[in-house]
Amino acid sequence: MGNTESDAKTLSTCERAREHVRLTAMGAEVPAAEMPRFLRACYRQSVDTTPVWLMRQAGRYMAEYRLLREKYSILDMIKTPALACEVTLQPIRAFDVDAAIIFADILPPLEAMGLQLEFINGEGPLIHNPIRSASDVEALVVPDPEERLGFTLEAIRLTRRELAGLGIPLLGFSGAPFTLAAYALEGGTSRNFLYTKKLMLDEPAIWHRLMTKITDMIATYLVAQVQAGAQALQLFDSWAGALSPADYQTYVLPHSRRAMALGSAAGVPVIHFSTGTNGWLELIQEAGGDVISIDWRIDLDRAWRRLRAGSVLQGNLDPVALQATWPALKQRATAVLDQAAGRRGHIFNLGHGILPGTPVDNVRRLVDFVHAYHPAYLADYP
Ligand code: CP3
């Protein structure tokens, strides 16, 4: 399944692994001044307070985002680096979050591979020419990221310049192989993933060929994002929860593992995100990632007990809690923090993205509440 020759090429461009990667691998403590708390938590270093950022922290719930969207389509915003940079910074200006995530989407890379992508207002993404045959798989190209996805790389460069001095790290991201393959095969959102699962079950050779090509794209795209300035990466396997553990293990895990390993080799922490995978969370960890992002369908402390000792977890508030009244939201946020119980290696986040209609004031209060939450437990902070 591995693509050894191009993997070697990708790896050879990854010699930027930093000193702190080596140090943390040895279990050494990095001086606080040298690393912002989001990255410290990724490496399970001590922190002064729990780092927090929110998936989809830029989006329609913000008035300043909606204002731009009156003038530009989502794809225009993604493909215009100055606009993508501006939108990335909107939540940074509004809230005290500990990380920025580049404004982009998981689907433009499929467009770069040869699929025709459209975002239909109110309905979501649509691919006009979904994969239907072995020859469609062969026709997919593995794009040169600078040539075909240069807009996001340029947006990363611009945003890093804007964030310089704030001490806020910038995340890059990609869809994970399964979720991207499912979009390519279904052509959009799906309930039963019929095309995807039928290809997987009936034509495993074609399936693996498709997954290998998509993984090649992901690996080169992730490395290019790190070279452009991304300081951490997140892989979104939003739909992995549709699979049985055995099918995940056979048809997905080897490809996800390769994507994670090549991303990690670029020298930054990689976050492995999925939803609905709590029945077989151990397999998500087996596939890789320095940080495992979990949803609200499992308690954080239970996930910690199930995963390897010393695991770093991100999560796991239900995004709908952000639309409740403050006392109800505060209670849910407290439950998450109490389960984390001051362990090293917790990044507070939602279990999935912020929903449209979320009150901005709740987001602000949540972020401030997480930071203020009894920092006494962080007694070993230098
Ligand atoms: O988190 C961020 O602030 C960064 C930006 C980001 C977007 N999409 C912007 C976006 C990220 C990280 C994504 C990832 C993404 N995109 C995923 C994985 C995470 C997840 O939610 O499971 C998926 C599955 C997609 C595909 C996608 N993009 C869908 C299904 C939709 C439509 C649904 C919706 O929310 O409208 C999009 C559009 C999209 N991508 C929006 C944003 C802010 C809404 C666009 C709008 O302005 O109309």
Side-chain angles (χ1 to χ4, degrees):
M1 246 144 278
N3 191 338
T4 335
E5 202 183 301
S6 71
D7 286 2
K9 215 164 87 194
T10 310
L11 284 166
S12 73
T13 60
C14 295
E15 283 152 11
R16 300 157 24 96
R18 300 185 188 128
E19 178 64 5
H20 61 243
V21 177
R22 195 179 64 79
L23 278 173
T24 51
M26 298 186 322
E29 184 74 4
V30 173
E34 287 175 21
M35 205 193 282
R37 64 168 87 90
F38 163 77
L39 290 174
R40 296 183 68 80
C42 289
Y43 289 118
R44 228 175 141 261
Q45 300 272 305
S46 66
V47 286
D48 59 340
T49 189
T50 305
V52 49
W53 70 281
L54 303 167
M55 288 184 266
R56 289 272 177 103
Q57 59 192 19
R60 282 161 298 182
Y61 76 103
M62 294 186 84
E64 46 279 49
Y65 178 89
R66 292 195 302 272
L67 208 64
L68 277 180
R69 277 286 276 114
E70 281 173 17
K71 283 201 242 157
Y72 306 100
S73 73
I74 167 124
L75 276 177
D76 285 343
M77 290 187 352
I78 288 171
K79 292 180 180 179
T80 310
L83 286 175
C85 170
E86 168 60 24
V87 175
T88 303
L89 296 174
Q90 285 178 346
I92 304 304
R93 294 192 193 109
F95 316 112
D96 191 17
V97 284
D98 291 292
I101 180 162
I102 196 64
F103 187 77
D105 195 84
I106 63 168
L107 299 174
L110 287 183
E111 186 175 56
M113 295 186 82
L115 299 179
Q116 289 154 28
L117 171 67
E118 191 185 351
F119 281 97
I120 299 175
N121 274 343
E123 282 180 49
L126 179 70
I127 286 164
H128 290 284
N129 55 340
I131 303 282
R132 286 288 176 268
S133 65
S135 60
D136 290 344
V137 174
E138 287 321 304
L140 288 174
V141 291
V142 176
D144 174 342
E146 203 59 67
E147 220 169 84
R148 299 299 314 275
L149 297 159
F151 43 84
T152 295
L153 303 176
E154 184 55 21
I156 290 173
R157 289 183 203 106
L158 284 179
T159 309
R160 272 303 300 277
R161 241 173 278 155
E162 294 291 322
L163 290 173
L166 292 181
I168 296 179
L170 179 63
L171 279 141
F173 69 90
S174 167
F178 175 75
T179 293
L180 289 183
Y183 266 108
L185 289 158
E186 304 295 331
T189 311
S190 172
R191 179 178 282 267
N192 292 316
F193 300 95
L194 274 183
Y195 289 108
T196 307
K197 290 185 181 180
K198 273 164 64 180
L199 184 70
M200 189 184 271
L201 300 180
D202 290 339
E203 303 278 4
I206 302 174
W207 168 262
H208 284 302
R209 176 84 184 121
L210 172 63
M211 290 288 275
T212 299
K213 276 191 137 176
I214 289 177
T215 305
D216 288 346
M217 178 280 289
I218 293 169
T220 53
Y221 182 43
L222 290 178
V223 171
Q225 290 184 65
V226 173
Q227 286 170 342
Q231 292 149 292
L233 296 167
Q234 180 156 322
L235 257 88
F236 286 95
D237 214 348
S238 308
W239 289 357
L243 295 171
S244 71
D247 285 342
Y248 180 82
Q249 196 156 21
T250 307
Y251 298 107
V252 177
L253 192 149
H255 302 284
S256 275
R257 176 183 279 151
R258 191 160 74 91
M260 298 284 161
L262 292 168
S264 280
V268 301
V270 181
I271 305 173
H272 192 172
F273 166 88
S274 62
T275 67
T277 57
N278 299 316
W280 39 270
L281 199 57
E282 295 81 358
L283 294 178
I284 290 287
Q285 182 166 61
E286 207 178 307
D290 302 283
V291 180
I292 307 298
S293 192
I294 63 166
D295 70 24
W296 59 94
R297 297 169 184 93
I298 184 170
D299 285 336
L300 202 53
D301 52 356
R302 183 131 182 275
W304 253 305
R305 283 200 298 275
R306 276 177 52 190
L307 296 174
R308 284 197 294 269
S311 292
V312 178
L313 293 186
Q314 173 174 276
N316 68 341
L317 187 73
D318 183 343
V320 173
L322 268 174
Q323 302 209 12
T325 52
W326 173 246
L329 168 57
K330 183 179 160 192
Q331 195 227 320
R332 269 45 175 210
T334 304
V336 170
L337 288 160
D338 282 345
Q339 284 175 29
R343 280 185 189 82
R344 285 187 180 203
H346 175 225
I347 297 157
F348 193 104
N349 205 318
L350 307 175
H352 209 158
I354 297 186
L355 296 163
T358 294
V360 167
D361 206 44
N362 269 356
V363 175
R364 184 173 305 112
R365 283 175 95 165
L366 173 70
V367 169
D368 292 343
F369 179 75
V370 171
H371 283 155
Y373 194 73
H374 61 77
Y377 65 64
L378 301 156
D380 62 345
Y381 187 74

